[in-house]
């Protein structure tokens, strides 16, 4: 009898590893890239602080913000051009839910921190029709979350995680990424403009939650939307306080 013909083996598709597992998509996210990125942040913070001290209030705010954002944007662009961590920029609809829920919870926590410190949970009234207020509100809800999260939660979180993961494993990588990114996030804000303890605590919590979102999902959008909703609810509180006067 003729021997049966063996069925050809099916070639499974090669599974591409997400950035949290290492692999080629983060091969060039190394200590050199992270070091230059943090150096850019330091230069931007110093330049922003100098602008705040040397220039009149209105141009100082504009110049300081522009310089700081440039120091965050350039390293992020450079890092993404070197290699794009697989899955980092993907979007899922659940990211919007994560952003809305945690953004609101963080704003409630900020009010609790302020109350515990003896500060008013309601800010002073603002000129809602002022072009300055409108521009700052738009920048805080649209530009700042993208710029800051791509630096602190993409470049720093992914960079630190990748470097430590190669040396010490996943748990150490998660802890190191959260600590380094949160400390830099709070320090950058505090060096540009002094922070009250309650404000520093709120920013630390925002940074930690945003970092956890990236490490838990592997995506940057939950962190961006958490930041955006947190800032948006802060502006909403200002608007309510102004209209209630």
């Amino acid at each position: 009898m003729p021997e049966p013909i063996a069925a050809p083996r099916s070639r499974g598709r090669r599974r591409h590893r997400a950035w949290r597992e290492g692999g080629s998509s983060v091969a060039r996210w190394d200590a050199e890239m992270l070091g230059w990125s943090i150096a850019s942040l330091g230069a931007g913070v110093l330049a922003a602080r100098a602008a705040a001290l040397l220039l009149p209030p209105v141009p100082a705010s504009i110049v300081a913000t522009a310089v700081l954002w440039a120091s965050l944007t350039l390293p992020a662009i450079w890092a993404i051009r070197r290699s794009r961590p697989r899955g980092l920029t993907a979007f899922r609809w659940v990211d919007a839910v994560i952003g809305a829920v945690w953004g609101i919870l963080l704003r409630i926590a900020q009010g609790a921190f302020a109350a515990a410190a003896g500060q008013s949970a309601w800010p002073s009234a603002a000129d809602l029709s002022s072009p300055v207020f409108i521009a700052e509100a738009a920048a805080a809800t649209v530009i700042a979350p993208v710029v800051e999260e791509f630096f602190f939660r993409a470049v720093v979180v992914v960079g630190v995680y990748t470097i430590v993961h190669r040396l010490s494993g996943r748990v150490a990588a998660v802890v190191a990424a959260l600590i380094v990114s949160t400390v830099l996030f709070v320090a950058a804000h505090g060096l540009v403009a002094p922070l009250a303890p309650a404000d520093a605590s709120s920013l630390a919590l925002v940074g930690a939650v945003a970092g956890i979102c990236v490490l838990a999902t592997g995506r940057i959008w939950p962190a961006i939307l958490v930041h955006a909703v947190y800032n948006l609810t802060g502006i909403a509180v200002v608007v309510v306080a102004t209209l209630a006067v």
Side-chain angles (χ1 to χ4, degrees), residues 107 110 121-124 232-243:
R107 178 55 60 186
Q110 182 272 328
W122 293 95
S124 57
L232 179 62
T233 51
I235 293 167
V237 171
V238 174
V239 172
V240 171
T242 301
L243 295 177

Side-chain angles (χ1 to χ4, degrees), residues 8 12 17 37 39 79 81 84 88 114 138 147 157 161 167 176-177 225-226 238:
R17 291 192 291 174
S37 298
R81 286 179 63 87
R84 181 175 299 178
L88 181 65
V147 170
V157 164
Y161 177 92
L167 301 173
L225 293 171
V226 165
V238 174

Side-chain angles (χ1 to χ4, degrees), residues 144-235:
V146 175
V147 170
E148 294 184 13
E149 293 307 313
F150 261 98
F151 182 86
F152 292 106
R153 254 61 70 178
V155 173
V156 178
V157 164
V158 177
V160 172
Y161 177 92
T162 299
I163 294 167
V164 178
H165 184 251
R166 293 168 183 156
L167 301 173
S168 303
R170 180 166 295 181
V171 174
V174 168
V175 173
L178 285 176
I179 291 175
V180 173
S181 62
T182 302
V183 168
L184 288 177
F185 182 64
V186 176
H189 286 81
L191 291 172
V192 173
L195 292 173
D199 296 328
S201 299
S202 299
L203 281 175
L205 191 57
V206 171
V209 169
I212 291 170
C213 286
V214 172
L215 291 166
T217 66
R219 301 186 298 274
I220 191 64
W221 283 105
I224 292 174
L225 293 171
V226 165
H227 196 150
V229 171
Y230 177 79
N231 287 357
L232 179 62
T233 51
I235 293 167

Side-chain angles (χ1 to χ4, degrees), residues 42-175:
V45 167
L46 291 176
R49 185 61 178 162
L53 293 174
L54 299 176
L55 297 176
V58 174
S61 176
I62 297 173
V63 172
T65 301
V67 168
L68 184 60
W69 283 354
S71 74
L72 303 178
T73 302
L74 293 176
I77 293 174
W78 177 48
I80 294 295
R81 286 179 63 87
R82 284 169 68 92
S83 63
R84 181 175 299 178
R86 188 169 289 112
L88 181 65
T89 57
F91 176 78
R92 304 286 184 270
W93 285 110
V94 69
D95 298 344
V97 177
I98 295 171
V101 171
W102 280 106
I104 293 171
L105 289 176
L106 287 168
R107 178 55 60 186
I108 294 172
Q110 182 272 328
F113 285 142
Q119 303 173 5
S120 173
W122 293 95
S124 57
D127 183 359
L128 303 182
S129 62
S130 167
V132 174
F133 175 80
I134 295 172
E136 289 180 347
T141 55
V142 179
I143 302 175
V146 175
V147 170
E148 294 184 13
E149 293 307 313
F150 261 98
F151 182 86
F152 292 106
R153 254 61 70 178
V155 173
V156 178
V157 164
V158 177
V160 172
Y161 177 92
T162 299
I163 294 167
V164 178
H165 184 251
R166 293 168 183 156
L167 301 173
S168 303
R170 180 166 295 181
V171 174
V174 168
V175 173

